[in-house]
Every structure is written in C-alpha cells, then in structure tokens.
Amino acid sequence: MRLTWVQPDDLLQLELVQSAAEGKDVRAIAAAWTAAGGTLEPPGGGISNRTASRELRQLAGRLLDELAAIPDPASAEPDGLDGIRSLWSEPPALPVIPAEQDPFDRVHGAWLGRAAGCLLGKPVEKVPRQGIREILQSQQKWPLNGYFTAAGLPADVAERWPWNRASRPTSLAEVIDGMPEDDDTNYTMLALALLEKHGSSFSTDDVARMWLAALPASRVFTAERAAYRNLLEGLEPPETATVRNPYREWIGAQIRTDLYGWVRPGDPRSAAELPWRDARLSHTRNGIYGAMFTAAMGSAAMAATDVSTVIAAGLAVIPPQSRLAGAVRLALEVAEDEPDTERGLDRLHAAYGDLHWVHAVNNAALVAYGLRVGDGDFTRSICVAVTGGWDTDSNGATAGGVAGAIAGAGRLPARWTDPLQNRIASSLRGFDGAGFDDLARRTATMAINLAGKP
C-alpha cells in the first residue's frame, strides 16, 4: 500500500520547489537526485502512482534532511507573531457595531455562504479552468450561475473533463441532499468546537490535541497530514510545520480559519491572532498569512458592506512584502483595470500558474479577485472564484463566507441556500446533521461571550 502525501520521493520533488521559492540554493541536491534516477517533475496532485525503489526512497529521505539543514535565507516573511505584528499596516476604518446588535444574521449568512460556495466548487475540484468552461459552454450554462449538473453534458466532454470522483455522488444539482461532508467545512466546525472548549486563549497544542482526538488520519491532507505524522512521531510545534512538509505554504491553513474572524466581528487584528496559533501547527510564512488574511476578512465582513474595505482589512494583518500580499494586490489591480473577467483571470494565471493548484498564494489572489469583481453580489463572487480554477471548492467556500456575511442570511438567493436543507454532513463527533441555524447561533454566542457582553 502506498500512503499518499508522505512518501519521501514525492516529498523531495515538492520540497525542491518549496525550498527554491524560499531562496535556498537547491541545485546540488537536485543534481544528486536526478543522477540517481529521480525525476524533478513534481507528482500530480502532490502524489504519485510511481513506486520508487527502496534505494531511491532512502536517498530521497537523506536529501530531504540535507535540504532542511540549509540555513533559511534572510526574508521579509517572518513566521513569528511578533515579527508579523511589527509589519502590520493601519487597518481600514470599519463601521462601529452597536452593542445591542445581534450578530446572528451575518454569521448565519457566513455559514450558509461558505457551504454554498464550497458545494458549488466540489464537482470540479482538480478540473482546470479550461475544462470548467468547456463543461458549462457545452450545456449552454456559461457563465456559471448555479450548481453544476450532469444534465445535457455531452459524453465526449464528460470523458475529457470528468467530475471529481469523490464529490460527484453528492454535489451535482440533481443529487444534492443537504451539504455533504467536506474538509473545508469540517475545519470550520472544528474551530467552533475548539473555541467552545478552550475559549480564545487556546494554544497550538490544543489544536494538535483536537486534531488527534477528532480527525482520522485519512481525513487530513497535504500539510495537515505531514503535521499529523510529525505529531505521532513526537515532534512539537513549530517543528510539526517544517519537518518533511513541502506543503507548508499551501492552502490548508487558509481553509481552516474563517470562523476566527466571525467571532471577532469588526476587530480584524484580534481575529488575526487566533489563526496564527492554529496555522503554525502545519504551515509557515505564506501558509500562515493566508489563514490570517482570511480571518481578518471574515471579521471585517461582520461589520462592513464594502468589499474593498473587507479585503483591505485582510491585507492590513499580513506582511506587505510577502508573496501573498503581492498576489492579492495584483488581483485588485487586475479587477480595477480589466473589465473582462476572462482576461482578468488570464492575467492571474499568467502570473501564478506555475504554482501548485492548492498553493496559498495563487488561491488567495483568486479569492480576492472574485470578491472584488463580485462587489457584494453573492452569486458573481462565488462563480468567479470557482470558474477561475485551482482549488475550486476551497475558493468558493472562502469567497462565499465573506460575501455571505456581507449580505446576511436573509439576502442570500434561495437557489443557493434551499438545496442545503439546513443540514450538514460531517464525520466530526457531534456535528453530523447539524443545522446551519444552530451553528450560527453557537458562533454568535461565542462572539458575544468573547466580547464580554451579557
């Protein structure tokens, strides 16, 4: 049996890419690997069907250790919270939330929006942008305006661009029966459980213990699986994020942290500190920044109605010279300068198409772009985020959470929320079958409690 995401030969190919992005000189190690018969082509999806020889796998392990021993170059991308704080910019002015205001409607909108956006992107996860467009055009459903369907899809297009195998039985319009399970929504519920148990003073160790107690190893992927393995081997944070973990700047932490913003409404700086403690278990640098960016936007979306203000709040809590901040700024520039969405997406893909499809940097840019061109329109925001490709369900979820919070549950189109049937599936204990209204009430209660309100 080949356990994915942790094989040394796969890790080495991805680590060479990650280390080079961090400024390390990897040429000698890459040459040693290819001389022994290894390939420099990263495995598709982060995993490989190839079975390396025992000798080659052992060499990969030794070369991974050599890469880890290379000192980190000087960087404008710190990992520590104090270093990140020192680079914060002044956040935009947000409307003052009246003390007597009930946060339920916006929180409910965030939960529903996150679920709907995630569900929209699930059938086409791993389908590239050109495939998504061909599917929709062949059905006369371009531009995207509702959940995907297999109805009317020509057989040759279906063969060329097959639906995501795991999601097809639950996520096409004709079979949706409530919100199916997804890691994007599991992590949102896990964050709620963490806060309900520990409050806002939780530690990274608390996050680790909750993972081990609540998440089977088969339910975590990429950086989370690497960190999970490191925990079982006795490592502690922040080593859990760095040892044999080439996924440390991928999107995993970015999908875990929306709720930390929802419970800190109108206070993006306080919101950003919570995901830092969560993200450092499995991520570094831009992987952490993506989590902080998302939470700060979620916080601002609980107060503001202007999308530009919400995105600016997210940018204010991450290092301005980071690659993720630069990607978000480019996305905003493209949204401003290019009226044609497809040409705008072309520019983003030209700039970041070399990154893995689940990297934090390119996907954060796409979320920002979808939100900005959507400009408060829920449908347009999630549809652009999904048809832009890359990590479709995660981007739909993040964009949907922000746009849903800005709108509030009462203003979300019924065609997106009715199929959810106020029910979510989950393998997390105590959450399977939970209603979105109940999740929103619990989240709003947590926000009130953290604010010290009666």
Side-chain angles (χ1 to χ4, degrees), residues 433-449:
F436 289 102
D437 53 355
D438 180 58
L439 293 171
R441 276 191 289 269
R442 289 166 63 178
T443 307
T445 298
M446 180 57 60
I448 291 168
N449 290 343

Side-chain angles (χ1 to χ4, degrees), residues 190-191 194-195 197-211 231 237 256 260 273-281:
L190 200 67
L194 180 75
L195 289 169
K197 182 174 182 178
H198 297 286
S200 61
S201 62
F202 71 87
S203 67
T204 307
D205 287 349
D206 291 327
V207 179
R209 281 188 284 268
M210 182 156 283
W211 281 19
L231 286 169
R256 305 200 308 251
Y260 296 129
E273 295 183 11
L274 302 178
W276 178 84
R277 279 181 254 146
D278 186 317
R280 68 189 290 266
L281 176 61

